[in-house]
Amino acid sequence: MAVRVQAEPFDPGAELNSFTARVEEAGAVVSFSGIVRDVAGGLKVMEIEHYPGMTEAALTEIEAEATKRWQLVDSLVIHRHGRLSVGEVIMMVATASPHRGDAFEAAEFLMDFLKSRAPFWKREETGEGTNWVVARDDDEAALDQW
Amino acid sequence: MDILYFAWVRERIGLPKEQVETGAATVAELVDELKAREERYAVAFSDLSALRVAVDQKLTDFDAPIDGAREVAFFPPMTGG
């Protein structure tokens, strides 16, 4: 299990390769990457604020919960903070399991909880000003399925 | 006790962190004390359903006790991922 919260960019392909290389006993690896997208048009910068200390603790707790629920050989969560441009990778999760079902479900669980229970806040800067991204009811509702 | 503010709560109150002396037993009592201080606090805390709170870096509720807590943080619902 590993959690990294960082301002620096990372290469999700290289991270996935090194993750896969160290989980030899896993038969299945699933990964997800989140990328800054310009939904409404005009997005210049996506700024991600977080709560140092609590962020790492919350992610570690979410990862530990996933490890309790599914048979995981290993998992990885990387999340950036600071100023990001459209197309940049914000975060990734990867899960390794003997079985693909566990790897898929655990990855989705990590994503759902990371979105609504890890202390990150997104602010969009456009030519017209800045606005805080509002949490979606769907994201909160997604937690109920678990 | 350290009080931390994040995202638009930080912007509305105008600072990321401050130290307060409080006799409040719960988060809700602390919020009432803060609201009574100045208009900017009253505005930031006007709708608690739009806010989340963490005590010593653990997400909790507004009726949670804060006796002995080192740190209380207020912020909007999280938008990670």
Side-chain angles (χ1 to χ4, degrees):
Chain A
M1 292 192 358
V3 163
R4 275 163 44 199
V5 181
Q6 61 186 57
E8 302 72 35
F10 64 92
D11 177 346
E15 295 291 347
L16 183 59
N17 284 340
S18 87
F19 179 78
T20 304
R22 63 176 184 263
V23 291
E24 283 175 353
E25 63 271 48
V29 168
V30 163
S31 80
F32 172 89
S33 303
I35 293 149
V36 179
R37 68 182 174 127
D38 187 1
V39 182
L43 180 67
K44 288 188 170 145
V45 173
M46 173 80 83
E47 179 142 19
I48 300 171
E49 181 171 336
H50 81 117
Y51 182 172
M54 181 176 164
T55 311
E56 292 81 356
L59 292 173
T60 301
E61 197 176 314
I62 293 165
E63 228 185 9
E65 183 61 29
T67 304
K68 259 194 257 172
R69 295 189 188 206
W70 291 279
Q71 197 181 343
L72 296 181
V73 175
D74 202 356
S75 58
L76 171 69
V77 177
I78 306 174
H79 204 300
R80 290 183 62 193
H81 59 88
R83 295 169 67 81
L84 281 72
S85 305
V86 174
E88 281 194 78
V89 177
I90 304 174
M91 50 76 58
M92 75 175 282
V93 303
T95 54
S97 169
H99 317 290
R100 75 171 188 276
D102 281 40
F104 271 119
E105 282 188 20
E108 196 168 15
F109 172 90
L110 287 174
M111 278 310 305
D112 282 349
F113 275 80
L114 180 158
K115 275 190 103 71
S116 309
R117 290 292 180 272
F120 290 103
W121 301 276
K122 293 195 185 99
R123 191 177 69 171
E124 295 176 337
E125 289 182 25
T126 66
E128 290 166 12
T130 62
N131 63 286
W132 291 96
V133 173
V134 177
R136 297 172 46 208
D137 291 343
D138 288 358
D139 289 336
E140 192 61 31
L143 303 186
D144 293 341
Q145 67 170 308
W146 307 108
Chain B
M1 180 183 299
D2 287 333
I3 313 289
L4 286 78
Y5 309 106
F6 292 95
W8 61 254
V9 185
R10 170 178 54 71
E11 290 180 339
R12 244 166 245 188
I13 289 173
L15 69 167
K17 185 175 180 177
E18 62 184 323
Q19 240 179 358
V20 301
E21 296 294 327
T22 177
T26 64
V27 173
E29 286 183 26
L30 174 65
V31 168
D32 286 341
E33 280 183 11
L34 292 169
K35 281 169 80 171
R37 278 177 155 193
E38 279 179 55
E39 181 65 17
R40 60 196 165 111
Y41 291 93
V43 171
F45 289 109
S46 60
D47 177 11
L48 291 188
S49 73
L51 293 178
R52 300 290 178 267
V53 59
V55 174
D56 287 339
Q57 305 193 353
K58 291 278 269 188
L59 210 55
T60 186
D61 300 314
F62 282 85
D63 56 6
I66 53 170
D67 184 39
R70 295 180 310 280
E71 190 170 296
V72 177
F74 296 100
F75 42 78
M78 295 153 273
T79 52

